[in-house]
Coordinates of all heavy atoms in Angstrom, one line a residue:
R22 N 59.1 16.1 196.4 CA 58.2 16.6 195.5 C 57.1 17.4 196.3 O 57.0 17.4 197.4 CB 57.5 15.5 194.7 CG 56.7 14.6 195.5 CD 55.7 13.7 194.7 NE 55.1 12.8 195.6 CZ 54.0 12.9 196.3 NH1 53.5 14.1 196.6 NH2 53.4 11.9 197.0
L33 N 50.9 13.6 207.1 CA 51.8 14.8 207.2 C 51.7 15.3 208.7 O 52.7 15.7 209.2 CB 51.3 15.8 206.2 CG 52.2 17.1 206.2 CD1 53.7 16.8 206.0 CD2 51.6 18.0 205.0
T34 N 50.5 15.4 209.2 CA 50.3 15.9 210.6 C 51.0 15.0 211.5 O 51.8 15.6 212.5 CB 48.9 15.9 211.0 OG1 48.2 16.7 210.0 CG2 48.7 16.5 212.4
Y41 N 58.4 17.3 215.9 CA 58.4 18.4 216.9 C 58.3 17.9 218.3 O 58.2 18.7 219.3 CB 57.3 19.4 216.5 CG 57.7 20.3 215.5 CD1 57.6 19.9 214.1 CD2 58.1 21.7 215.7 CE1 58.0 20.8 213.0 CE2 58.4 22.5 214.7 CZ 58.4 22.2 213.4 OH 58.8 23.0 212.4
I84 N 58.7 20.6 204.1 CA 59.1 22.0 204.3 C 58.1 22.8 203.5 O 57.6 22.4 202.4 CB 60.5 22.3 203.8 CG1 61.0 23.7 204.4 CG2 60.7 22.3 202.3 CD1 62.6 23.9 204.3
Q91 N 53.6 35.9 199.7 CA 52.8 35.0 200.7 C 53.4 35.2 202.0 O 52.9 34.6 202.9 CB 52.9 33.6 200.2 CG 52.3 33.3 198.9 CD 52.6 32.0 198.4 OE1 53.7 31.5 198.4 NE2 51.6 31.2 198.0
V111 N 61.7 16.9 209.9 CA 62.2 15.6 209.5 C 62.0 14.7 210.6 O 62.2 15.0 211.7 CB 63.7 15.7 209.2 CG1 64.4 14.3 208.8 CG2 64.0 16.7 208.0
G117 N 69.8 14.4 211.0 CA 71.2 14.2 211.0 C 71.7 13.5 209.7 O 72.9 13.3 209.7
L124 N 66.2 19.8 202.1 CA 64.8 20.4 202.1 C 65.1 22.0 202.2 O 64.5 22.8 201.5 CB 64.0 20.0 203.2 CG 63.4 18.6 203.1 CD1 62.8 18.1 204.3 CD2 62.5 18.5 201.8
A141 N 63.6 34.0 205.0 CA 63.6 34.0 206.4 C 62.8 32.8 207.0 O 62.1 32.1 206.2 CB 62.8 35.4 206.8
A145 N 61.9 29.1 217.9 CA 61.9 29.5 219.4 C 63.3 29.9 219.8 O 64.2 29.3 219.5 CB 61.4 28.4 220.2
P147 N 64.4 29.9 222.8 CA 65.0 28.8 223.7 C 65.5 27.6 222.9 O 66.3 26.9 223.5 CB 64.0 28.5 224.6 CG 62.9 29.6 224.5 CD 63.0 30.1 223.1
L151 N 68.5 24.8 217.3 CA 68.0 25.1 216.0 C 68.6 26.5 215.6 O 68.9 26.7 214.4 CB 66.5 25.2 216.0 CG 65.8 23.8 216.2 CD1 64.3 24.0 216.3 CD2 66.2 22.9 215.1
V152 N 68.7 27.5 216.5 CA 69.3 28.7 216.2 C 70.7 28.5 215.7 O 71.1 29.1 214.7 CB 69.2 29.7 217.5 CG1 70.0 31.0 217.1 CG2 67.8 30.0 217.8
G159 N 74.1 30.0 207.4 CA 74.2 31.5 207.0 C 73.1 32.4 207.4 O 73.0 33.5 207.0
A185 N 69.9 35.8 193.5 CA 68.6 36.7 193.4 C 69.1 38.1 192.9 O 70.2 38.6 193.1 CB 68.1 36.8 194.8

Side-chain angles (χ1 to χ4, degrees):
R22 62 162 172 79
L33 181 57
T34 302
Y41 281 76
I84 197 163
Q91 299 168 312
V111 174
L124 291 169
L151 293 178
V152 172

